[in-house]
Amino acid sequence: MSYIQAGTPRFRRALSALFSGALVTFAVLYSVQPLLPVLAAHFHVSPAEASLTLSISTLLMGGALLLAAPLSLVWGPKRIMTVSMAMAAILAMGTAIAPNFWMLVGIRGLLGVALAGIPAVAMGYVGDEFDPGSLGRAMGIYVSGTTIGGMGGRILVGSLTDAWSWRGALGTVGAVSIALTVWFVRGLPPSRHFTPQPDALRNLWPSLKKNLHSRELIWLYVLPFLLMGGFVTIYNYITFLLTGPPYHLSQTLVGWIFLVYLAGTGSSAWLGRLADQHGRSRVLPGAIVLMLAGLLVTLFPPLVFRVGGLAVMTFGFFGAHAVASGWVARRALTSAAEASSLYLFFYYAGSSIFGVLGGLIWTRWHWTGIIAMVGVLAAIALFVALHLGRWRVR
């Protein structure tokens, strides 16, 4: 059976549906991020506690990812992704009516579990169904959808919070997610390479362990733990920086700051193509260097430097993510879905751990402390990327 070839109607339908799935996943997942200062004030909690509304989602999502991949081998990738999107949309509506802070945290935790079916299975679907020669392009476009979803959700929530309230903003995100779920179901082609594997859950641990026996894959799993941990920390606490003195930006303006995610949209597709042409081990270190450079620029107080540095950091991060995730799909020792689920487990574990730790650092050392922590994480990631160059994988 043929792979999905670039330039065909099937290719366009598949990418359109996967793009919609990415939009829902990351719009819903990160919808609370620009609201952290608002939630901290509304519920009278600390910045670190407010960040739990995001970290609990990413932590439980990371764990659920490990189950979502084998479930897709039993029930089929499209079914898992459809159920995941539908449940997430309903729970997203529920966050708008949470009566207290800890109920909000609980709903956000369930939301993280529901969302797991999209990223775990989508990356595996791309690895299994798309022609290897267009894998970097396909993965890059999918990652572009994650950036637009993350950006669009934050902008929408920031703007609607000023116009209505944070509850109305989150409810709107849920309603949009329901509409995109319908589009996804109609557009995604069934997998032609799917063969049901009834024993997939029973064989989960042996399969995961096999991927963990590859030194190359272990180094690739370290990368998202470090890079995503730093990336989410920056976006969590820049909201506190920009809504406080001397900037005092409104929620609408803070939401529009996330327009810099467009830099990630461009870099993921562009660097994905460069990786296909010149090799992943050559492109990856350069993307991390750009991320480091952007971090340093944000240390300068003028707002133009804060925002410009954020854009450069975002460009580098999403480029690195697109290259590394495509690398994992190519080097999987079992199914691409299982290898990708491990990649994403470490990706979201880093987000959860460092996202909360950043709150403690913010309280004591403010923005300088945040940059120092994230800079160390990025520097270690650069060392890992250079070490991975020994494999010289295309």
Side-chain angles (χ1 to χ4, degrees), residues 114-141:
L115 286 171
I118 303 296
V121 179
M123 291 177 70
Y125 180 95
V126 170
D128 288 339
E129 298 298 321
F130 284 78
D131 177 71
S134 60
L135 180 60
R137 178 181 173 187
M139 194 69 75
I141 292 174

PDB file of all heavy atoms in Angstrom, residues 114-141:
ATOM      1  N   ALA A 114      -7.098  13.669  28.461  1.00  0.00           N
ATOM      2  CA  ALA A 114      -7.888  13.594  27.235  1.00  0.00           C
ATOM      3  C   ALA A 114      -7.080  14.019  26.012  1.00  0.00           C
ATOM      4  O   ALA A 114      -7.186  13.417  24.936  1.00  0.00           O
ATOM      5  CB  ALA A 114      -9.132  14.476  27.368  1.00  0.00           C
ATOM      6  N   LEU A 115      -6.264  15.039  26.169  1.00  0.00           N
ATOM      7  CA  LEU A 115      -5.515  15.577  25.032  1.00  0.00           C
ATOM      8  C   LEU A 115      -4.405  14.645  24.549  1.00  0.00           C
ATOM      9  O   LEU A 115      -3.909  14.807  23.431  1.00  0.00           O
ATOM     10  CB  LEU A 115      -4.890  16.931  25.412  1.00  0.00           C
ATOM     11  CG  LEU A 115      -5.839  18.126  25.502  1.00  0.00           C
ATOM     12  CD1 LEU A 115      -5.112  19.323  26.103  1.00  0.00           C
ATOM     13  CD2 LEU A 115      -6.394  18.476  24.126  1.00  0.00           C
ATOM     14  N   ALA A 116      -4.015  13.686  25.358  1.00  0.00           N
ATOM     15  CA  ALA A 116      -2.845  12.858  25.035  1.00  0.00           C
ATOM     16  C   ALA A 116      -2.983  12.107  23.723  1.00  0.00           C
ATOM     17  O   ALA A 116      -1.989  11.835  23.044  1.00  0.00           O
ATOM     18  CB  ALA A 116      -2.588  11.860  26.167  1.00  0.00           C
ATOM     19  N   GLY A 117      -4.209  11.775  23.322  1.00  0.00           N
ATOM     20  CA  GLY A 117      -4.386  10.974  22.121  1.00  0.00           C
ATOM     21  C   GLY A 117      -3.971  11.654  20.841  1.00  0.00           C
ATOM     22  O   GLY A 117      -3.658  10.979  19.850  1.00  0.00           O
ATOM     23  N   ILE A 118      -3.923  12.985  20.822  1.00  0.00           N
ATOM     24  CA  ILE A 118      -3.574  13.670  19.581  1.00  0.00           C
ATOM     25  C   ILE A 118      -2.070  13.653  19.318  1.00  0.00           C
ATOM     26  O   ILE A 118      -1.612  13.102  18.314  1.00  0.00           O
ATOM     27  CB  ILE A 118      -4.095  15.120  19.580  1.00  0.00           C
ATOM     28  CG1 ILE A 118      -5.603  15.140  19.797  1.00  0.00           C
ATOM     29  CG2 ILE A 118      -3.735  15.799  18.259  1.00  0.00           C
ATOM     30  CD1 ILE A 118      -6.391  14.499  18.704  1.00  0.00           C
ATOM     31  N   PRO A 119      -1.253  14.243  20.193  1.00  0.00           N
ATOM     32  CA  PRO A 119       0.179  14.319  19.854  1.00  0.00           C
ATOM     33  C   PRO A 119       0.872  12.965  19.789  1.00  0.00           C
ATOM     34  O   PRO A 119       1.738  12.760  18.938  1.00  0.00           O
ATOM     35  CB  PRO A 119       0.767  15.199  20.972  1.00  0.00           C
ATOM     36  CG  PRO A 119      -0.203  15.099  22.096  1.00  0.00           C
ATOM     37  CD  PRO A 119      -1.545  14.950  21.447  1.00  0.00           C
ATOM     38  N   ALA A 120       0.499  12.032  20.661  1.00  0.00           N
ATOM     39  CA  ALA A 120       1.159  10.716  20.627  1.00  0.00           C
ATOM     40  C   ALA A 120       0.868   9.995  19.330  1.00  0.00           C
ATOM     41  O   ALA A 120       1.758   9.462  18.673  1.00  0.00           O
ATOM     42  CB  ALA A 120       0.695   9.869  21.810  1.00  0.00           C
ATOM     43  N   VAL A 121      -0.392   9.994  18.921  1.00  0.00           N
ATOM     44  CA  VAL A 121      -0.794   9.231  17.760  1.00  0.00           C
ATOM     45  C   VAL A 121      -0.512   9.992  16.467  1.00  0.00           C
ATOM     46  O   VAL A 121      -0.149   9.391  15.453  1.00  0.00           O
ATOM     47  CB  VAL A 121      -2.285   8.857  17.870  1.00  0.00           C
ATOM     48  CG1 VAL A 121      -2.744   8.070  16.658  1.00  0.00           C
ATOM     49  CG2 VAL A 121      -2.525   8.053  19.151  1.00  0.00           C
ATOM     50  N   ALA A 122      -0.652  11.310  16.494  1.00  0.00           N
ATOM     51  CA  ALA A 122      -0.442  12.090  15.271  1.00  0.00           C
ATOM     52  C   ALA A 122       0.992  11.970  14.780  1.00  0.00           C
ATOM     53  O   ALA A 122       1.239  11.784  13.581  1.00  0.00           O
ATOM     54  CB  ALA A 122      -0.791  13.559  15.515  1.00  0.00           C
ATOM     55  N   MET A 123       1.967  12.063  15.687  1.00  0.00           N
ATOM     56  CA  MET A 123       3.362  11.952  15.260  1.00  0.00           C
ATOM     57  C   MET A 123       3.651  10.551  14.718  1.00  0.00           C
ATOM     58  O   MET A 123       4.361  10.391  13.732  1.00  0.00           O
ATOM     59  CB  MET A 123       4.286  12.287  16.433  1.00  0.00           C
ATOM     60  CG  MET A 123       4.247  13.752  16.832  1.00  0.00           C
ATOM     61  SD  MET A 123       5.262  14.128  18.280  1.00  0.00           S
ATOM     62  CE  MET A 123       6.904  13.927  17.589  1.00  0.00           C
ATOM     63  N   GLY A 124       3.076   9.538  15.359  1.00  0.00           N
ATOM     64  CA  GLY A 124       3.239   8.184  14.852  1.00  0.00           C
ATOM     65  C   GLY A 124       2.548   7.985  13.515  1.00  0.00           C
ATOM     66  O   GLY A 124       3.060   7.299  12.629  1.00  0.00           O
ATOM     67  N   TYR A 125       1.358   8.592  13.363  1.00  0.00           N
ATOM     68  CA  TYR A 125       0.618   8.524  12.095  1.00  0.00           C
ATOM     69  C   TYR A 125       1.459   9.113  10.966  1.00  0.00           C
ATOM     70  O   TYR A 125       1.561   8.536   9.879  1.00  0.00           O
ATOM     71  CB  TYR A 125      -0.699   9.292  12.252  1.00  0.00           C
ATOM     72  CG  TYR A 125      -1.588   9.313  11.025  1.00  0.00           C
ATOM     73  CD1 TYR A 125      -2.614   8.386  10.883  1.00  0.00           C
ATOM     74  CD2 TYR A 125      -1.418  10.278  10.028  1.00  0.00           C
ATOM     75  CE1 TYR A 125      -3.453   8.410   9.764  1.00  0.00           C
ATOM     76  CE2 TYR A 125      -2.234  10.310   8.910  1.00  0.00           C
ATOM     77  CZ  TYR A 125      -3.254   9.378   8.782  1.00  0.00           C
ATOM     78  OH  TYR A 125      -4.068   9.404   7.682  1.00  0.00           O
ATOM     79  N   VAL A 126       2.073  10.264  11.227  1.00  0.00           N
ATOM     80  CA  VAL A 126       2.932  10.879  10.212  1.00  0.00           C
ATOM     81  C   VAL A 126       4.093   9.959   9.874  1.00  0.00           C
ATOM     82  O   VAL A 126       4.426   9.737   8.706  1.00  0.00           O
ATOM     83  CB  VAL A 126       3.444  12.249  10.697  1.00  0.00           C
ATOM     84  CG1 VAL A 126       4.530  12.784   9.758  1.00  0.00           C
ATOM     85  CG2 VAL A 126       2.297  13.242  10.792  1.00  0.00           C
ATOM     86  N   GLY A 127       4.740   9.382  10.900  1.00  0.00           N
ATOM     87  CA  GLY A 127       5.881   8.512  10.670  1.00  0.00           C
ATOM     88  C   GLY A 127       5.527   7.251   9.905  1.00  0.00           C
ATOM     89  O   GLY A 127       6.326   6.759   9.094  1.00  0.00           O
ATOM     90  N   ASP A 128       4.321   6.723  10.134  1.00  0.00           N
ATOM     91  CA  ASP A 128       3.918   5.466   9.492  1.00  0.00           C
ATOM     92  C   ASP A 128       3.303   5.658   8.110  1.00  0.00           C
ATOM     93  O   ASP A 128       3.443   4.791   7.246  1.00  0.00           O
ATOM     94  CB  ASP A 128       2.898   4.734  10.371  1.00  0.00           C
ATOM     95  CG  ASP A 128       3.526   4.131  11.624  1.00  0.00           C
ATOM     96  OD1 ASP A 128       4.752   3.927  11.623  1.00  0.00           O
ATOM     97  OD2 ASP A 128       2.779   3.883  12.591  1.00  0.00           O
ATOM     98  N   GLU A 129       2.586   6.773   7.909  1.00  0.00           N
ATOM     99  CA  GLU A 129       1.755   6.922   6.714  1.00  0.00           C
ATOM    100  C   GLU A 129       2.356   7.782   5.617  1.00  0.00           C
ATOM    101  O   GLU A 129       1.986   7.640   4.451  1.00  0.00           O
ATOM    102  CB  GLU A 129       0.386   7.502   7.115  1.00  0.00           C
ATOM    103  CG  GLU A 129      -0.410   6.613   8.053  1.00  0.00           C
ATOM    104  CD  GLU A 129      -0.740   5.262   7.438  1.00  0.00           C
ATOM    105  OE1 GLU A 129      -1.058   5.227   6.229  1.00  0.00           O
ATOM    106  OE2 GLU A 129      -0.673   4.246   8.143  1.00  0.00           O
ATOM    107  N   PHE A 130       3.256   8.695   5.962  1.00  0.00           N
ATOM    108  CA  PHE A 130       3.780   9.616   4.960  1.00  0.00           C
ATOM    109  C   PHE A 130       5.053   9.067   4.325  1.00  0.00           C
ATOM    110  O   PHE A 130       5.841   8.355   4.958  1.00  0.00           O
ATOM    111  CB  PHE A 130       4.058  10.987   5.579  1.00  0.00           C
ATOM    112  CG  PHE A 130       2.820  11.804   5.812  1.00  0.00           C
ATOM    113  CD1 PHE A 130       1.995  11.541   6.896  1.00  0.00           C
ATOM    114  CD2 PHE A 130       2.476  12.824   4.944  1.00  0.00           C
ATOM    115  CE1 PHE A 130       0.842  12.280   7.115  1.00  0.00           C
ATOM    116  CE2 PHE A 130       1.327  13.572   5.148  1.00  0.00           C
ATOM    117  CZ  PHE A 130       0.508  13.301   6.234  1.00  0.00           C
ATOM    118  N   ASP A 131       5.229   9.413   3.052  1.00  0.00           N
ATOM    119  CA  ASP A 131       6.425   9.009   2.325  1.00  0.00           C
ATOM    120  C   ASP A 131       7.668   9.518   3.058  1.00  0.00           C
ATOM    121  O   ASP A 131       7.711  10.692   3.461  1.00  0.00           O
ATOM    122  CB  ASP A 131       6.378   9.592   0.913  1.00  0.00           C
ATOM    123  CG  ASP A 131       7.629   9.267   0.123  1.00  0.00           C
ATOM    124  OD1 ASP A 131       7.803   8.099  -0.244  1.00  0.00           O
ATOM    125  OD2 ASP A 131       8.429  10.201  -0.112  1.00  0.00           O
ATOM    126  N   PRO A 132       8.697   8.667   3.279  1.00  0.00           N
ATOM    127  CA  PRO A 132       9.885   9.095   4.014  1.00  0.00           C
ATOM    128  C   PRO A 132      10.551  10.338   3.448  1.00  0.00           C
ATOM    129  O   PRO A 132      11.098  11.154   4.188  1.00  0.00           O
ATOM    130  CB  PRO A 132      10.817   7.880   3.923  1.00  0.00           C
ATOM    131  CG  PRO A 132       9.895   6.717   3.769  1.00  0.00           C
ATOM    132  CD  PRO A 132       8.746   7.223   2.956  1.00  0.00           C
ATOM    133  N   GLY A 133      10.464  10.534   2.145  1.00  0.00           N
ATOM    134  CA  GLY A 133      11.088  11.701   1.531  1.00  0.00           C
ATOM    135  C   GLY A 133      10.406  13.003   1.875  1.00  0.00           C
ATOM    136  O   GLY A 133      11.003  14.076   1.734  1.00  0.00           O
ATOM    137  N   SER A 134       9.140  12.950   2.335  1.00  0.00           N
ATOM    138  CA  SER A 134       8.415  14.163   2.710  1.00  0.00           C
ATOM    139  C   SER A 134       8.118  14.191   4.210  1.00  0.00           C
ATOM    140  O   SER A 134       7.318  14.996   4.670  1.00  0.00           O
ATOM    141  CB  SER A 134       7.103  14.262   1.921  1.00  0.00           C
ATOM    142  OG  SER A 134       6.269  13.143   2.181  1.00  0.00           O
ATOM    143  N   LEU A 135       8.790  13.310   4.968  1.00  0.00           N
ATOM    144  CA  LEU A 135       8.524  13.222   6.398  1.00  0.00           C
ATOM    145  C   LEU A 135       8.845  14.523   7.118  1.00  0.00           C
ATOM    146  O   LEU A 135       8.077  15.001   7.962  1.00  0.00           O
ATOM    147  CB  LEU A 135       9.333  12.073   7.012  1.00  0.00           C
ATOM    148  CG  LEU A 135       9.162  11.836   8.519  1.00  0.00           C
ATOM    149  CD1 LEU A 135       7.717  11.522   8.854  1.00  0.00           C
ATOM    150  CD2 LEU A 135      10.078  10.716   8.987  1.00  0.00           C
ATOM    151  N   GLY A 136       9.995  15.115   6.785  1.00  0.00           N
ATOM    152  CA  GLY A 136      10.364  16.365   7.445  1.00  0.00           C
ATOM    153  C   GLY A 136       9.372  17.468   7.155  1.00  0.00           C
ATOM    154  O   GLY A 136       9.000  18.241   8.047  1.00  0.00           O
ATOM    155  N   ARG A 137       8.912  17.545   5.908  1.00  0.00           N
ATOM    156  CA  ARG A 137       7.920  18.560   5.538  1.00  0.00           C
ATOM    157  C   ARG A 137       6.607  18.333   6.278  1.00  0.00           C
ATOM    158  O   ARG A 137       6.007  19.263   6.813  1.00  0.00           O
ATOM    159  CB  ARG A 137       7.698  18.532   4.034  1.00  0.00           C
ATOM    160  CG  ARG A 137       6.650  19.508   3.533  1.00  0.00           C
ATOM    161  CD  ARG A 137       6.485  19.375   2.028  1.00  0.00           C
ATOM    162  NE  ARG A 137       5.368  20.182   1.549  1.00  0.00           N
ATOM    163  CZ  ARG A 137       4.910  20.152   0.309  1.00  0.00           C
ATOM    164  NH1 ARG A 137       5.486  19.363  -0.581  1.00  0.00           N
ATOM    165  NH2 ARG A 137       3.889  20.908  -0.052  1.00  0.00           N
ATOM    166  N   ALA A 138       6.145  17.075   6.298  1.00  0.00           N
ATOM    167  CA  ALA A 138       4.883  16.763   6.964  1.00  0.00           C
ATOM    168  C   ALA A 138       4.965  17.035   8.462  1.00  0.00           C
ATOM    169  O   ALA A 138       4.058  17.635   9.049  1.00  0.00           O
ATOM    170  CB  ALA A 138       4.510  15.299   6.718  1.00  0.00           C
ATOM    171  N   MET A 139       6.074  16.622   9.092  1.00  0.00           N
ATOM    172  CA  MET A 139       6.231  16.861  10.521  1.00  0.00           C
ATOM    173  C   MET A 139       6.337  18.348  10.800  1.00  0.00           C
ATOM    174  O   MET A 139       5.803  18.860  11.794  1.00  0.00           O
ATOM    175  CB  MET A 139       7.470  16.135  11.049  1.00  0.00           C
ATOM    176  CG  MET A 139       7.526  16.040  12.567  1.00  0.00           C
ATOM    177  SD  MET A 139       6.265  14.931  13.258  1.00  0.00           S
ATOM    178  CE  MET A 139       6.953  13.324  12.853  1.00  0.00           C
ATOM    179  N   GLY A 140       7.013  19.061   9.896  1.00  0.00           N
ATOM    180  CA  GLY A 140       7.142  20.504  10.073  1.00  0.00           C
ATOM    181  C   GLY A 140       5.795  21.206  10.014  1.00  0.00           C
ATOM    182  O   GLY A 140       5.520  22.113  10.804  1.00  0.00           O
ATOM    183  N   ILE A 141       4.924  20.798   9.083  1.00  0.00           N
ATOM    184  CA  ILE A 141       3.600  21.420   8.981  1.00  0.00           C
ATOM    185  C   ILE A 141       2.747  21.071  10.197  1.00  0.00           C
ATOM    186  O   ILE A 141       2.020  21.916  10.725  1.00  0.00           O
ATOM    187  CB  ILE A 141       2.910  20.986   7.676  1.00  0.00           C
ATOM    188  CG1 ILE A 141       3.660  21.592   6.478  1.00  0.00           C
ATOM    189  CG2 ILE A 141       1.444  21.402   7.659  1.00  0.00           C
ATOM    190  CD1 ILE A 141       3.166  21.121   5.134  1.00  0.00           C
TER     191      ILE A 141
END
